[in-house]
Amino acid sequence: MNVQCQVLPLYTPSFERTNGAYLKDLDDVQSFLEGTWIGIINDKEYTFQFVKLPHHLISYGDVNYYEDILKVKFKVVDLVANQLIYSDLQVVDFDDYKINLSYYGNNIGYSFYYEDEMNCSNSAKFYIYRIDNNTDQIEYKNFIYDEYWDWDCSYTDQLDIPMFLPKVDLMLTRQ
């Protein structure tokens, strides 16, 4: 039996989402980033893997619908010491990804949200910008710390919580 569902644009407002609907990446906004991108700055190599998870079930209140989701995993290597500093590239389970696409806009780029539940739910935001007429490079920019749980946290200052994302802007190249 083939069941048809209502296909809606990815960024349909929540009040227009209906049970069984599918919020689909109709404009291939997520597909552009899908894959591996690498950038080097301050003697560190950053590898980002953007993973598109199509047709993921979302429950929002009493509405259940499907949505294309873009998640990110990354690793950091110290090039001077030739040492792995951080990696979550092994992540495969949906809930284990720490970076999610929050939203996208033609003039504002891709906004991402990072949260590390194991480290006081430390969170941050950053943007990815496409470069006109260049499909092999993107810009990682505007890193900013967001919230964290200061109660039940062994750190007294958010800046002491381990953060492996780059805090400076850098160019990433498609691999």
Side-chain angles (χ1 to χ4, degrees):
M1 180 163 102
N2 186 6
V3 178
Q4 296 292 322
C5 62
Q6 181 184 15
V7 176
L8 300 169
L10 192 56
Y11 295 104
T12 299
S14 59
F15 62 87
E16 292 181 15
R17 299 171 188 178
T18 59
N19 268 321
Y22 176 24
L23 276 64
K24 185 173 177 62
D25 183 17
L26 297 171
D27 299 322
D28 285 330
V29 168
Q30 296 175 343
S31 298
F32 174 80
L33 287 180
E34 201 171 9
T36 302
W37 300 77
I38 293 178
I40 297 173
I41 195 158
N42 298 332
D43 296 323
K44 291 184 178 64
E45 179 182 79
Y46 294 88
T47 301
F48 289 88
Q49 287 184 351
F50 294 83
V51 180
K52 185 174 181 177
L53 304 165
H55 210 258
H56 185 77
L57 178 63
I58 303 288
S59 295
Y60 186 76
D62 59 350
V63 178
N64 296 310
Y65 59 92
Y66 298 90
E67 182 175 354
D68 290 346
I69 305 286
L70 186 67
K71 297 232 179 203
V72 184
K73 46 191 176 179
F74 72 106
K75 80 172 180 178
V76 184
V77 175
D78 181 323
L79 296 174
V80 174
N82 194 27
Q83 181 178 6
L84 179 67
I85 296 174
Y86 174 84
S87 179
D88 67 358
L89 294 182
Q90 74 284 356
V91 167
V92 292
D93 291 335
F94 183 85
D95 292 329
D96 292 337
Y97 285 86
K98 295 178 182 175
I99 303 174
N100 299 291
L101 175 64
S102 299
Y103 57 88
Y104 169 81
N106 285 330
N107 297 323
I108 59 170
Y110 299 82
S111 174
F112 287 91
Y113 183 76
Y114 166 91
E115 183 176 13
D116 185 354
E117 291 181 9
M118 300 303 292
N119 276 321
C120 307
S121 286
N122 194 22
S123 60
K125 298 176 184 178
F126 64 89
Y127 288 85
I128 297 291
Y129 296 97
R130 293 175 74 159
I131 299 170
D132 290 339
N133 302 318
N134 187 340
T135 59
D136 292 325
Q137 287 191 312
I138 54 177
E139 294 177 291
Y140 170 103
K141 295 181 88 168
N142 304 333
F143 172 92
I144 186 169
Y145 281 99
D146 200 42
E147 301 175 278
Y148 77 106
W149 291 351
D150 56 357
W151 67 92
D152 195 29
C153 179
S154 60
Y155 298 95
T156 56
D157 188 327
Q158 184 177 23
L159 298 178
D160 294 332
I161 302 171
M163 173 59 72
F164 302 104
L165 285 169
K167 296 172 192 73
V168 296
D169 299 350
L170 79 145
M171 195 70 80
L172 298 170
T173 303
R174 185 187 302 272
Q175 301 303 297

